[in-house]
Amino acid sequence: MRAKIIGTGYSLPAFRADNDYLATLVDTSDEWISERTGIRARHLAKEETTLSMSAEAARMALERANFRAEDVELLIVATITGDMDTPSTACQVQKEIGAKHALAFDINAACSGFLYSLHVAEAFIESGTYRNALLIGAETLSKIVDWTDRTTCVLFGDGAGAALVTASENGGLLSQSLGSNGEKWDVLFCEGRPNENPLRAKGQKCGYLKMDGQEVFKFAVRTVPQCIEDALAKAGLKPEEIDLFILHQANKRIIQAVAKRLGMAEEEFPMNMDECGNTSAASLPILLAQLDERGRLHPGDRIVLSGFGAGLTWGACVLEW
Ligand code: UT7
């Protein structure tokens, strides 16, 4: 049995902040942001939370698959920005949508989180432990971004995407290639809340997201093509046999470099970072759900999903729709 996606959903905050709006907050411009990244706008949470967006995306995925929440057996939320330190966002979503029979937990793998959740779901489904899994990638990055730092705050957005996966004899996940390199954790990180117990020095501050952009860029253009090629080799496929390459939406130039390395046309790499920015773990499932909504995914299509991010973490998978 293979893990197959049978329903997708997404949720974006109502407030759309374009680049001109950001130029009122920090010393930047629409020209710099759009030329260097391809981002023109992003959605930022005013009222929305990681939980509310997760639940909305999950409900849409279940509805599109015509599947009952109470039949969900595994519920995983990939996030680095849960509303609470504990319980997990997954347990909160479980209550919110009524997935009362599911085993629920979160995964922290930054922008690769959705692919990691798919990896875990596939192992459970292949082993026969569970017959289905509801996977959600959700982030409220606007709460960990330093809104005085123009080198990071212009890049990120908020949102959630979801995919319902079930055991299937036809199609589904054909191969995967994932990795982690903790040696490089310090090129992209966000410190947690400080320890204020009576034994510690006072005055420590909560951290914000910090990134060495050029290091992450170099890592991405080197590693993403490698892991896609590895996943393709495992599936016995060549790049030209793939219908769509759905990549983590961090930077248009990274996607263009990956397309070039694989010898593929940019048109086969759909993008939404112009409207959503980089939504970390939510980026892949949001784009997948939007493509599904627009009728861009057809039964039998071969699709590559690939992501990379803090950890460092990365991954690619090949699936048949
Ligand atoms: O999900 C994974 C997360 N992260 C990524 O994928 C990020 C990967 N890296 C990148 O996408 C790019 O490195 C960035 C978009 C972050 C930066 O682009 P860059 O072409 O590497 O620019 P840079 O850091 O070399 O900066 C060039 C200049 C600098 O000014 P000087 O030193 O040349 O005078 C920056 O201070 O651009 C300046 N700059 C800005 N200017 C206007 C940096 N940020 C901004 C800004 N607006 N927002």
Side-chain angles (χ1 to χ4, degrees), residues 27-29 32-33 36-37 111 150-151 154-156 188 211 213-214 216-217 248 250-251 253-254 278 308-309:
D27 180 15
T28 191
S29 64
W32 192 96
I33 304 169
R36 301 264 176 158
T37 68
C111 310
R150 69 176 182 173
T151 68
V154 302
L155 304 174
F156 298 99
L188 178 50
M211 177 173 74
Q214 294 196 357
V216 178
F217 194 99
H248 170 48
N251 189 316
R253 291 186 293 138
I254 293 177
N278 177 348
F308 62 91

Side-chain angles (χ1 to χ4, degrees), residues 2-45:
R2 288 200 179 120
K4 183 170 182 164
I5 297 175
I6 62 159
T8 61
Y10 69 101
S11 167
L12 292 169
F15 181 67
R16 177 183 178 275
D18 64 14
N19 291 344
D20 289 335
Y21 171 76
L22 291 206
T24 67
L25 305 177
V26 288
D27 180 15
T28 191
S29 64
D30 175 47
E31 190 188 3
W32 192 96
I33 304 169
S34 52
E35 276 181 12
R36 301 264 176 158
T37 68
I39 298 167
R40 295 185 182 278
R42 73 288 291 143
H43 291 253
L44 301 176

